[in-house]
Amino acid sequence: MAIGVFDSGVGGLSVHRSLVRQFPAADFIYLADQANTPYGGRPGEEIVTLTRAGCERLFAEGCSLVVLACNTASGIALRRLQQTWLPGYRRELGRPVNVLGIIVPTIEAATGLPWEHEAERRGDKVEKLDVLAVFSTPATTGSRVYEIEIDKRRQDVAVFSQACPELAPMIEQGAARDELAAAVALHVKAITTRIGRPPDRAILGCTHYEIVGDLFRAALPAGAPLIHQPQATAEALGRYLERHPEYDAGTGGRRRFLTTGRPGAQSSLVEAFWGGPLSFEQA
Ligand code: DGL
């Protein structure tokens, strides 16, 4: 058995890297749906269908758990799949399988509160707001998932989202760093203008953006903390596996990388992030 990691493309590698560090002995299969990337501009129904197909593929490869290392899939598709598809699919397979997302661990890290916690609305005047910027795909921004879920837990955090429609496709295609730096700077400037001041903290709410995390760091005010989804997800998976020993993560330390797109090497941008060559097999 193995842990599956799914994204529309190379962005989920940022989460995969953290998971592998946390669980070196586990077996991992990464699936990039590069035939259909980007997801961020697609209608919700398509995102649900593509995400389900990715999960089915990973379960067919022998995964017991699939981590959706994609905010767009986690925000748009996960709940639907858990409610309408997984129960029947589990019966069909006759073994325990589950799909986990990355938004819950990110919100826990951003609020410092467990997911189950919902604040009582006391109507007190909040004197000082902590302004949190979320950079994400248009589908994630449109879902307002970060605004809604953080507001349920913390009324002293004001969330502003910035959709960056061109950024994941640029990263997927391995664009030049100066072009990427210019695009990141424009989005940081746009959100700063909208808020009226720079944000206090930020979430890179699309896993592709971690690949250019240093460019976000350079464009954001010095010292403004970035909430790291990969680390938050790895810690959350650790807690989940402790509570659910029925999910077998394997013990062989095997790593496989599959793509629905063109097999072979990825761009030099991705390899520089990864720290070495990375070859994908045809899914
Ligand atoms: N990496 C994905 C995310 O975290 C999606 C990028 C895309 O396909 O638009 O949202």
Side-chain angles (χ1 to χ4, degrees):
M1 288 285 140
I3 298 177
V5 181
F6 178 74
D7 183 35
S8 65
V10 292
L13 290 171
S14 57
V15 176
H16 179 277
R17 199 171 65 167
S18 259
L19 297 180
V20 163
R21 278 187 193 148
Q22 178 105 351
F23 310 100
D27 297 318
F28 282 94
I29 307 176
Y30 185 91
L31 174 61
D33 189 14
Q34 289 177 307
N36 297 300
T37 195
Y39 281 12
R42 287 181 182 275
E45 276 313 306
E46 283 184 26
I47 297 170
V48 173
T49 305
L50 293 170
T51 304
R52 193 184 69 202
C55 293
E56 281 176 337
R57 185 61 219 262
L58 284 163
F59 290 134
E61 291 289 341
C63 294
S64 58
L65 277 177
V66 171
V67 177
L68 298 179
C70 174
N71 289 269
T72 310
S74 301
I76 310 292
L78 181 56
R79 188 172 298 175
R80 267 276 294 283
L81 295 182
Q82 283 171 337
Q83 287 173 348
T84 63
W85 169 69
L86 261 174
Y89 189 69
R90 266 187 208 118
R91 279 196 297 277
E92 219 177 276
L93 281 185
R95 62 180 171 97
V97 290
N98 204 5
V99 183
L100 307 174
I102 59 173
I103 289 180
V104 171
T106 309
I107 287 175
E108 289 183 329
T111 58
L113 296 167
W115 179 251
E116 299 72 32
H117 179 96
E118 286 200 11
E120 238 180 77
R121 293 191 172 267
R122 291 204 306 259
D124 298 347
K125 192 165 175 285
V126 176
E127 293 298 341
K128 197 179 170 304
L129 282 178
D130 174 14
V131 175
L132 177 66
V134 181
F135 299 91
S136 61
T137 66
T140 304
T141 306
S143 74
R144 297 182 53 79
V145 59
Y146 282 104
E147 286 88 333
I148 294 168
E149 297 299 340
I150 291 175
D151 184 63
K152 280 186 201 164
R153 293 163 177 83
R154 292 272 303 260
Q155 274 92 60
D156 58 340
V157 180
V159 181
F160 289 79
S161 284
Q162 174 73 17
C164 313
E166 78 294 20
L167 204 50
M170 285 174 79
I171 294 166
E172 198 61 44
Q173 287 151 22
R177 273 183 68 81
D178 55 342
E179 288 171 27
L180 289 163
V184 167
L186 269 180
H187 288 299
V188 171
K189 187 160 178 257
I191 200 168
T192 304
T193 308
R194 206 143 45 78
I195 299 170
R197 69 167 172 91
D200 300 312
R201 300 188 290 148
I203 294 176
L204 302 186
C206 167
T207 52
H208 280 71
Y209 305 169
E210 279 285 336
I211 293 177
V212 294
D214 58 328
L215 300 178
F216 274 97
R217 167 133 328 290
L220 285 162
L226 280 185
I227 292 148
H228 285 291
Q229 288 198 302
Q231 198 187 321
T233 305
E235 287 165 9
L237 182 62
R239 295 191 293 272
Y240 186 85
L241 287 172
E242 265 171 34
R243 291 197 309 274
H244 294 279
E246 68 272 28
Y247 295 108
D248 178 358
T251 53
R254 280 180 289 274
R255 316 279 179 252
R256 286 180 68 201
F257 298 89
L258 308 178
T259 179
T260 58
R262 220 181 39 202
Q266 294 292 332
S267 67
S268 52
L269 174 74
V270 171
E271 290 199 342
F273 168 80
W274 189 252
L278 186 62
S279 191
F280 278 64
E281 302 164 42
Q282 185 73 62

